[in-house]
Amino acid sequence: MKISPMETIFNIFNETATILQEELNCSYLEALAETGENLFHGNIIQEELSELTVKRLQKKYSELNIDMFSQEQIRKAYQLAILKGMKDSVQSNHQMTPDSIGLVFSYLIKKFMAELSSFSLLDPAVGTGNLLTTILNQMDDTEITSYGVDIDDLLIKLAYIGANLQSQPIQFFNQDSLEPLFIESVDAVVCDLPVGYYPNDEGAEKYTLKADKGHSYAHHLFIEQSINQTKPGGYLFFLIPNGLFESEQSPKLHKFLSEQVNIQGILKLPESMFKNPNAAKSIFVLQKKAPSLKAPKQVLIANLPSLSNQSSMENMIGKIDKWFMENKLEQ
């Protein structure tokens, strides 16, 4: 049976990562990063390997010409290998934004940024880079200067290597995203918000959305940091928990948003996307206020159908197009 291009790439990622994992006595994800580096550089860069292991790896690598595959084929195979590694990982922050959500983000960013032939895009919680590279691969007709920030050393390394393999020139920064960012203001932000408490109370002090007492919500601070990092008139696309405005700290968030941005839309993702309905999420679209900008006549509020339901999706796209005609194009 003929295997797909994605399976071909995945098999090489998986087999060579397993070899390196055993030889280097490291985790599968660390080994995956190492094999990704080898594939990108076209040679084996680990000097401590035995001669036998080098030969085994060379044989495997010779079976794959990475340049023969599309960016999306590489991304999906790499994502699959990362997901395999994450199953064995004990770190709860090792999670990945699903492909289907990335495609919805891509569609929305295309719609809202349609008038720009080039723009800058920041993901302040880039993780393994899957969301950001999904968007970039879907928008290869637009010149996008992109940035990714993450505090996790391993995740940012995986993101960097994945971007290299996909020929996506993303600039990565390995730091706490809630510390000052040495990145110029951007036209757009995309972020799968990390939900939870921010342990650095001292670092939270500079934020308007800090908690009055105790730890602050990291997701609130990420929203504030993202808005601060966005140019006036720029857009922000967040993946948010459905209960974002139900916490005891939400009145402060609501007030801050009303002062800083115009809410464009809240698109509730189908619960079928999530194993636990209580973990269901929505896409929250904002535009940073600027003197010449008006708020939309009405906020785009939608319950997205299952992406596999083609007729329902076409109907929803029609509704979104109508909203754009009435609220964006007439401004």
Side-chain angles (χ1 to χ4, degrees), residues 79-95:
Q79 172 198 232
L80 198 59
I82 290 173
L83 286 170
K84 178 185 174 182
M86 285 181 174
K87 285 181 181 176
D88 303 326
S89 172
V90 295
Q91 295 194 45
S92 61
N93 64 325
H94 284 190
Q95 295 178 352

Side-chain angles (χ1 to χ4, degrees), residues 40-106:
F40 176 69
H41 290 290
N43 59 43
I44 296 168
I45 62 174
Q46 298 80 25
E47 296 178 354
E48 64 270 45
L49 301 179
S50 68
E51 190 177 337
L52 177 61
T53 297
V54 169
K55 286 181 178 176
R56 288 174 69 199
L57 289 171
Q58 285 173 335
K59 183 175 183 299
K60 290 293 178 187
Y61 292 142
S62 69
E63 297 170 13
L64 182 74
N65 180 357
I66 200 80
D67 297 329
M68 297 292 291
F69 298 91
S70 72
Q71 291 171 313
E72 274 294 273
Q73 287 167 343
I74 296 168
R75 183 191 64 78
K76 288 177 179 178
Y78 191 59
Q79 172 198 232
L80 198 59
I82 290 173
L83 286 170
K84 178 185 174 182
M86 285 181 174
K87 285 181 181 176
D88 303 326
S89 172
V90 295
Q91 295 194 45
S92 61
N93 64 325
H94 284 190
Q95 295 178 352
M96 188 185 292
T97 310
D99 269 11
S100 50
I101 294 175
L103 294 173
V104 177
F105 269 104
S106 302

Side-chain angles (χ1 to χ4, degrees), residues 73-268:
Q73 287 167 343
I74 296 168
R75 183 191 64 78
K76 288 177 179 178
Y78 191 59
Q79 172 198 232
L80 198 59
I82 290 173
L83 286 170
K84 178 185 174 182
M86 285 181 174
K87 285 181 181 176
D88 303 326
S89 172
V90 295
Q91 295 194 45
S92 61
N93 64 325
H94 284 190
Q95 295 178 352
M96 188 185 292
T97 310
D99 269 11
S100 50
I101 294 175
L103 294 173
V104 177
F105 269 104
S106 302
Y107 167 74
L108 291 170
I109 292 171
K110 277 184 183 179
K111 292 290 288 185
F112 280 95
M113 309 299 289
E115 293 181 6
L116 298 176
S117 58
S118 64
F119 62 88
S120 51
L121 177 65
L122 165 67
D123 185 342
V126 73
T128 64
N130 193 54
L131 175 59
L132 187 54
T133 52
T134 298
I135 293 164
L136 296 176
N137 290 347
Q138 295 295 321
M139 300 187 68
D140 55 5
D141 56 344
T142 307
E143 185 183 332
I144 303 175
T145 303
S146 50
Y147 307 93
V149 185
D150 207 283
I151 195 170
D152 189 295
D153 298 8
L154 178 56
L155 296 188
I156 203 93
K157 185 176 183 181
L158 287 165
Y160 168 73
I161 291 161
N164 282 343
L165 290 171
Q166 294 169 68
S167 302
Q168 291 289 6
I170 303 167
Q171 297 179 54
F172 289 102
F173 298 84
N174 184 197
Q175 67 160 94
D176 181 347
S177 302
L178 299 176
E179 292 294 323
L181 299 178
F182 299 100
I183 300 169
E184 291 185 6
S185 296
V186 295
D187 298 300
V189 169
V190 61
C191 186
D192 181 348
L193 287 175
V195 176
Y197 289 105
Y198 184 50
N200 183 356
D201 293 338
E202 187 178 338
E205 275 300 311
K206 61 182 178 288
Y207 285 94
T208 303
L209 293 177
K210 68 184 180 190
D212 296 327
K213 58 181 180 179
H215 289 329
S216 302
Y217 282 137
H219 40 298
H220 288 193
L221 304 187
F222 264 89
I223 290 172
E224 182 174 343
Q225 175 78 312
S226 298
I227 292 170
N228 291 340
Q229 202 65 35
T230 304
K231 296 175 184 176
Y235 287 97
L236 302 102
F237 305 84
F238 294 118
L239 187 63
I240 62 167
N242 285 349
L244 180 68
F245 293 103
E246 295 171 7
S247 74
E248 75 284 355
Q249 294 182 30
S250 62
K252 186 184 279 191
L253 173 63
H254 202 280
K255 180 175 183 293
F256 179 80
L257 291 176
S258 67
E259 293 168 353
Q260 299 290 327
V261 298
N262 291 322
I263 296 174
Q264 305 293 302
I266 301 175
L267 293 91
K268 192 174 180 183

Side-chain angles (χ1 to χ4, degrees), residues 14-32 34 48-50 52-53 56-57 84:
N14 182 47
E15 290 165 13
T16 55
T18 302
I19 292 168
L20 285 164
Q21 181 183 12
E22 292 170 359
E23 180 81 4
L24 299 174
N25 193 26
C26 63
S27 72
Y28 180 88
L29 287 176
E30 288 167 329
L32 180 62
E34 294 293 330
E48 64 270 45
L49 301 179
S50 68
L52 177 61
T53 297
R56 288 174 69 199
L57 289 171
K84 178 185 174 182

